[in-house]
């Protein structure tokens, strides 16, 4: 008889040998004290500082968001009670979709339980129902986009990351009569770089391509009212569908797409991942719509985050600590080895009380392992200085490679 359990045990052993095995740190967020948290494990919880949260602006701890969620749970209970089609279509979902459509200047929006589900569902429908569709996908697109394209069954052509010349070469070599979708992200979180959105919008117009823009790491963070990178660059309306998340800058959970009413309605009507799943709890939707409304009115959080990110980028540059890119708010510190990446993260946590999750393959290519650091508006300048100094000390002690130092550190 086949040893099923033994097979999977050997798979895990092999993953551990290759340095790709993932371990979780048990963290308890402390309401009102972000980025402070308790790390649980043997013995009493230890207070730590979180440096890798996707709650980029700290909205998951914002008093207005918490108050809205408390009201919603008192009014409506814990869960939604069903799918959107069967008893789970709550007024908070409808309000949230209206708010998101307005944020992006689109006719309609649709909310999903996660950003992954939104990408998978939307691309499955869009690419799968267009006859003979060819999808042009950036090579570093998120796994959820890759899954949606694969599930669609459409032909896929991969263009080199942020390389519009290669994209144009592929577009020019495709039958002009076929439907085409260009799928890309605006901000790539593992690289902290930004797509050449102007050029890609021009190529889409020139070659008659439909555009699908993932703004997960940009909504709430950039542009007027937090509408994203495309809006910041004056390209609002140049991308046909915008996909975003409620789990990062907005501090809640869930994902969404926004676009023309007929396109969004097609996703709503044909996407199995939307039809056959329980909708977001009303309390989560209520918190999300409160966060979206707040960030449409307030630039304070975005301004402060930009200042904190520039401070950390500058300190690491002065120390010669390699960072993949400084084009966005994320600070991807390059280590380049899976074992050493885990060791650096471990020393930061155990010795300095700073929690950063090591990012290893397959999230990033082998040899580019990194720490994906996310300073927030709630990190004090003194904390940022201390964090950079801690990294400098680890680099000094372990002999990790540096980049040339721009100028002496004071």
């Amino acid at each position: 008889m086949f040893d099923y359990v033994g097979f999977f045990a050997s798979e895990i052993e092999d993953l551990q040998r290759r340095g790709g095995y993932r371990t979780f740190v048990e963290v308890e967020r402390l309401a009102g004290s972000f980025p402070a948290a308790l790390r649980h494990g043997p013995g009493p919880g230890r207070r730590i500082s979180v440096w890798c949260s996707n709650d980029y602006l700290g909205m998951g701890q914002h008093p207005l968001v918490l108050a809205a969620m408390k009201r919603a749970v008192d009014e409506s209970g814990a869960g939604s009670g069903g799918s959107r089609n069967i008893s789970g279509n709550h007024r908070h979902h409808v309000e949230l979709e209206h708010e998101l459509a307005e944020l992006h200047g689109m006719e309609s929006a649709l909310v999903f339980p996660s950003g992954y589900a939104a990408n998978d569902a939307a691309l499955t429908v869009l690419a799968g129902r267009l006859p003979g569709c060819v999808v042009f996908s950036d090579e570093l697109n998120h796994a959820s986009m890759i899954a949606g394209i694969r599930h669609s069954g459409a032909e896929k052509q991969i263009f080199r990351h942020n390389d519009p010349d290669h994209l144009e070469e592929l577009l020019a070599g495709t039958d002009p009569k076929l439907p085409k979708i260009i799928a890309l992200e605006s901000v790539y979180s593992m690289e902290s770089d930004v797509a050449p959105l102007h050029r890609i919008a021009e190529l889409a117009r020139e070659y008659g391509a439909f555009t699908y823009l993932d703004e997960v790491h940009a909504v709430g963070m950039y542009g007027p009212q937090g509408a994203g990178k495309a809006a910041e660059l004056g390209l609002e309306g140049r991308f046909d569908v915008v996909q975003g998340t409620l789990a990062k800058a907005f501090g809640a959970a869930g994902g969404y797409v926004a676009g023309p009413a007929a396109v969004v309605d097609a996703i709503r009507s044909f996407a199995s991942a939307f039809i056959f799943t329980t909708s977001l709890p009303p309390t989560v939707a209520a918190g999300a719509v409160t966060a979206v409304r707040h960030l449409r009115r307030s630039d304070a959080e975005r301004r402060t985050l930009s200042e904190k990110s520039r401070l950390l980028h500058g300190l690491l540059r002065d120390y010669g600590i390699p960072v993949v890119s400084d084009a966005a708010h994320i600070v991807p510190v390059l280590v380049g080895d899976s074992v050493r990446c885990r060791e650096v993260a471990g020393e930061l946590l155990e010795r300095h009380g700073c929690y950063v999750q090591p990012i290893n393959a397959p999230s990033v290519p082998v040899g580019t392992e990194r720490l994906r650091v996310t300073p927030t508006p709630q990190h004090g300048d003194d904390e940022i200085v201390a964090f950079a100094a801690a990294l400098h000390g680890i680099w000094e002690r372990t002999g990790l490679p540096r980049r040339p130092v721009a100028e002496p550190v004071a």
Side-chain angles (χ1 to χ4, degrees), residues 157-314:
Q157 297 198 35
I158 299 172
F159 60 93
R160 290 187 293 270
H161 177 55
N162 282 352
D163 188 341
D165 292 335
H166 187 216
L167 172 60
E168 182 170 22
E169 179 184 323
L170 296 175
L171 287 165
T174 300
D175 185 341
K177 295 189 292 294
L178 292 176
K180 293 172 279 291
I181 295 176
I182 300 173
L184 71 154
E185 301 180 41
S186 60
V187 175
Y188 288 83
S189 72
M190 294 302 171
E191 309 298 309
S192 195
D193 60 356
V194 178
L197 297 179
H198 277 106
R199 180 78 189 285
I200 289 176
E202 291 169 359
L203 289 173
R205 177 177 293 174
E206 180 179 351
Y207 288 92
F210 187 92
T211 46
Y212 184 95
L213 181 63
D214 179 317
E215 291 253 43
V216 158
H217 298 281
V219 291
M221 307 287 300
Y222 300 97
Q225 302 183 50
K229 267 292 176 184
E232 181 184 66
L233 297 172
L235 297 171
E236 193 172 46
R238 296 286 300 277
F239 291 87
D240 296 294
V241 170
V242 171
Q243 185 267 350
T245 184
L246 305 166
K248 293 182 171 60
F250 299 127
Y256 65 90
V257 292
V263 174
V264 173
D265 199 22
I267 297 168
R268 183 190 69 86
S269 300
F270 296 117
S272 295
F274 176 80
I275 296 169
F276 298 107
T277 194
T278 301
S279 62
L280 279 179
T283 183
V284 175
V289 73
T290 301
V292 173
R293 286 171 177 162
H294 174 77
L295 290 174
R296 290 188 70 186
R297 296 189 301 266
S298 173
D299 284 326
E301 292 83 1
R302 286 186 282 275
R303 285 197 306 269
T304 304
L305 176 62
S306 179
E307 293 166 3
K308 304 294 184 180
S309 179
R310 283 199 303 270
L311 173 60
L312 182 54
H313 272 297

